[in-house]
Amino acid sequence: MTVQELPGAAAAYPAFTLRTDPAPLLPDPEPYRVLGLGTDSPLDPELMRRLYEGLVRGRRYNAQATALTKQGRLAVYPSSTGQEACEVAAALVLEKQDWLFPSYRDTLAAVARGLDPVEALTLLRGDWHTGYDPRVHRIAPLCTPLATQLPHAVGLAHAARLAGDDVVALAMVGDGGTSEGDFHEAMNFAAVWQAPVVFLVQNNGFAISVPLAKQTAAPSLAHKAVGYGMPGRLVDGNDAAAVHEVLSEAMLRARSGGGPTLVEAVTYRMEAHTNADDATRYRGDAEVEAWRAHDPVDLLERELTGRGMLDETAIRAVREGAETMAADLRTRMNADPVLDPMDLFAQVYAEQTSQLREQAAMLRTELDAEDER
Amino acid sequence: MTTVAAKPATMAQALQRAMRDAMAEDPRVHVLGEDVGTLGGVFRVTDGLAKEFGEDRCTDTPLAEAGILGTAVGMAMYGLRPVVEMQFDAFAYPAFEQLISHVAKTRNRTRGAMPLPIVVRVPYGGGIGGVEHHSDSSEAYYMATPGLQVVAPATVADAYGLLREAIASDDPVVFLEPKRLYWSKADWSPHPVEPIGRAVVRRTGRSATLITYGPSVPVCLEAAEAAKEEGWDLEVVDLRSLVPFDDETVCASVRRTGRAVVVHESAGFGGPGGEIAARVTERCFHHLEAPVLRVAGFDIPYPPPMLERHHLPGVDRVLDAVARLQWEV
């Protein structure tokens, strides 16, 4: 017996009607794909070239940053190797005036958006938390607590819309982050306010060691959108063309007043969570190798080569460019940053409290004593 | 500011006027929270703001404190000056992560590039017969977080003046509104007050200093009146601002009187009184005739309303503490 069939049910809910037909909000059961399905669908050569270059540089950037961690130049680096398609596509769908809200693993998205690779790494090197001015780049600080940046994206998008500005916020979160309360509250606020915001969940299979099956019982993470009254979209996160297309549609919807979208990109983290993690404890080689066969860089390279949009010369040029970027990053990261300990007190408040002035004076004395020794 | 003839006003009305004046002067000021719009807040502190400024400026949000404060962070990132209402002290706890990890730290994280001028209004404290989770004094949590300013008005004038200061501040302010003073009245017209970070001597005296703030200020003033019968002339310092803390005014008073009692509602253990007593002792030890005493709420979860009068520091408990300062009459 359904609720509607219960005796007296009609009288019990006199004014109840579904506000929205949930069907159009539901994601397709299979992740959306473009690459490897034949040449029927047209691809924009210029866009594909930019995506390809971004992926190759991104792969090299991840490798270089990981190497810097092993050399002790970075405290930690959460690699996005295997997830470059999501990272690069997220950056390329943004207009100049839009905002990116990255999580700690999304350094690459910030770099692909144009942030200086060294500035993007200050948090992980440990010389300052956020090395760049978020307003200049329209990139919020890389967020370490899980999902707490999502309500920020909603608030900023809401404020921009109230101002009549053409601004969309794109917020990135991992599969583990979708379990957090802030994920729920951000989705709900965004939908109620019809804020111009796009949520990109990179489902890379694991929250450190906990697999998705222990994270959620939802059919997919994209399904969560329906409960908030926004469309959920499922996309192959290793297919750069598909991620770009789905995110572009969501950005357009947000820009034209259609409200938020939740995009789940199904991808895989090829490296461990960070250098402090041992991925062999929770996943087998066979699984990793299966995903290696679905590598985002290879997928795009094969497709573009097959379509005659890319040749050996172009590939070599892109790879050489990536090597130059890596060499430059290496050189600059190997220089010790110059730090002024007095900066510790500089920006706690707009105006230093008398207590902080006293503590700053104490540190000054200690530093002077060190200098004399 | 035009001079307006003083008329009786409640603290709730003064707070409402502060938001109204700030919103009229600065289109960046937005008010948001649960029930702040149509209803005007459960204490009516935001009464009329949605009608006057529209729902985009005074917004009823979904019921979600982390979401309210988290979206306010994003609004502030875009250049607005959000004033958020947490409906009751103990309802603010879901927003703690946003407050501690983002609101308090973002100026510092970004080396000053992105200050967050957010005011978090928290109706706080007991004494109104509220049931569980409606009477917490949570100031110690906020005080322990660098990057936040923490203020609590005790007078109608301060309610207006401090809230205007808080909204104008480029740094986040946790604005603690003593619930049981919402209906306290005074002859009042809107005017500026001493800035955030300045304590005020509410009553001068020579025998001892009562150091207090928020809902305990009227208690201490009453105690000081009653103490006259014993021949004690008590000075009452209203801190107004817990962060920044006004060591100067407090210590000047204690050096004059040589004795001090800290009075507040929140639990004594790990509470604000310990910090204040330590600061006073460190700075005024040679002027002290007696140890700095604390009169605080008991170290218990806030009691049920029928028992709260036993928990809240009242006039007698303050006077007992003063007597324990080993008076030489």
Side-chain angles (χ1 to χ4, degrees), chain B residues 201-210 221 224-225 227-228 231-237 252-259 327:
Chain B
V201 177
R202 293 281 174 216
R203 183 191 193 283
T204 54
R206 291 171 295 108
S207 312
T209 302
L210 302 179
L221 288 171
E225 281 306 304
K228 285 199 292 195
W232 300 335
D233 180 20
L234 300 181
E235 182 147 309
V236 177
V237 175
S253 172
V254 176
R255 286 184 191 123
R256 273 196 304 274
T257 62
R259 293 174 168 88
W327 223 268

Side-chain angles (χ1 to χ4, degrees), chain B residues 312-326:
Chain B
L312 294 172
V315 169
D316 289 348
R317 208 171 281 162
V318 174
L319 292 176
D320 285 349
V322 171
R324 278 166 53 216
L325 292 171
Q326 300 170 347

